[in-house]
Amino acid sequence: MNPDPKLRADARMNREQIIAAAHVLIAEHGAEVPMEEVARRAGVGTGTLYRRFPNRNALIRGVALDSFHRVIAIARAAEDEEPDAWTALSRFVHQAGGDLRLAAGLAMRFAGMWAALRDDPENLRLRATLLKILDRLVQRAQADGMMRDDVGTADLSMMMALLLRPMPGLREDLTPAGADRYLTLMLDGLRTCPGTSPLPASEVTLADLA
């Protein structure tokens, strides 16, 4: 998270507690979770909640931007700590899945607000930062001979976005369970020599799809 430096320490702490609570509750129960429940989980009064976030759209924006900050932190840590670009890219894809899946769900439920967020200066800055990191990893992985050279960072981003979008009609608890499996398949297809990655077990059956 990148809190506003103009906020007092106690106000900043309240804001962070609200964002953290909203993040968990939205992931658990969906974006329509009552604002009062967010305040209760955060340990603040409803008046404090509404001072920081006057309406649901403002809260969703805060959660979305917080998720982007978390995704960038994951990308930076993977790039700095892993021994090679392919391992870093794989780590990012799996670790960032939860935050990106939440963002995809919010985009579907709050299409109007999400359209406005696309032009938000903070959002634009965060997206540019993330894409630069991913592009470095993709180019390094290709230079190392680990990643096929006929795909690019835009391909990776689009595939992740499509895989992590909630599937209409599928029980929501199955989507996170299957995400790692399908992300592993995606990564395997991007490797120069695919077919070597063990797949996480599938929890989706034909009955679920029916």
Side-chain angles (χ1 to χ4, degrees):
M1 186 182 300
N2 186 25
D4 186 340
K6 293 180 288 188
L7 290 177
R8 298 192 321 272
D10 57 341
R12 185 181 305 123
M13 182 177 298
N14 285 340
R15 187 181 191 282
E16 291 174 355
Q17 289 174 209
I18 292 167
I19 289 289
H23 195 284
V24 171
L25 287 169
I26 290 171
E28 290 177 351
H29 304 293
E32 289 75 25
V33 62
M35 297 284 277
E36 293 76 12
E37 177 62 17
V38 174
R40 189 195 66 78
R41 179 72 70 94
V44 302
T46 53
T48 299
L49 169 63
Y50 282 107
R51 277 195 299 275
R52 300 274 76 83
F53 302 99
N55 53 53
R56 185 176 298 275
N57 274 2
L59 180 61
I60 295 302
R61 176 186 181 276
V63 171
L65 292 178
D66 178 67
S67 292
F68 292 155
H69 279 288
R70 289 156 59 117
V71 166
I72 289 172
I74 290 169
R76 283 177 169 154
E79 184 178 33
D80 292 342
E81 296 170 8
E82 294 301 333
D84 61 77
W86 177 256
T87 305
L89 201 58
S90 300
R91 170 176 158 177
F92 165 78
V93 166
H94 287 292
Q95 290 188 355
D99 284 291
L100 293 172
R101 185 166 54 247
L102 176 64
L106 293 176
M108 291 182 68
R109 291 183 176 92
F110 294 87
M113 186 278 294
W114 213 258
L117 187 60
R118 281 199 296 266
D119 296 324
D120 185 292
E122 178 70 357
N123 178 55
L124 292 172
R125 184 184 69 80
L126 293 173
R127 286 174 62 86
T129 298
L130 177 61
L131 289 174
K132 285 180 181 177
I133 298 172
L134 293 183
D135 197 46
R136 284 199 301 267
L137 291 176
V138 166
Q139 292 190 45
R140 283 174 49 204
Q142 290 171 331
D144 292 342
M146 295 295 295
M147 182 174 178
R148 53 191 297 169
D149 60 9
D150 56 349
V151 297
T153 307
D155 295 312
L156 173 68
S157 301
M158 286 297 297
M159 284 189 286
M160 289 188 70
L162 291 170
L163 282 174
L164 293 171
R165 284 177 69 86
M167 184 175 176
L170 184 64
R171 288 197 346 250
E172 288 201 9
D173 61 309
L174 293 174
T175 305
D180 266 354
R181 180 178 176 86
Y182 306 127
L183 291 172
T184 299
L185 281 168
M186 179 196 78
L187 285 168
D188 207 41
L190 292 173
R191 295 184 63 169
T192 307
C193 299
T196 58
S197 301
L199 285 178
S202 175
E203 296 188 18
V204 179
T205 67
L206 288 176
D208 294 318
L209 298 179

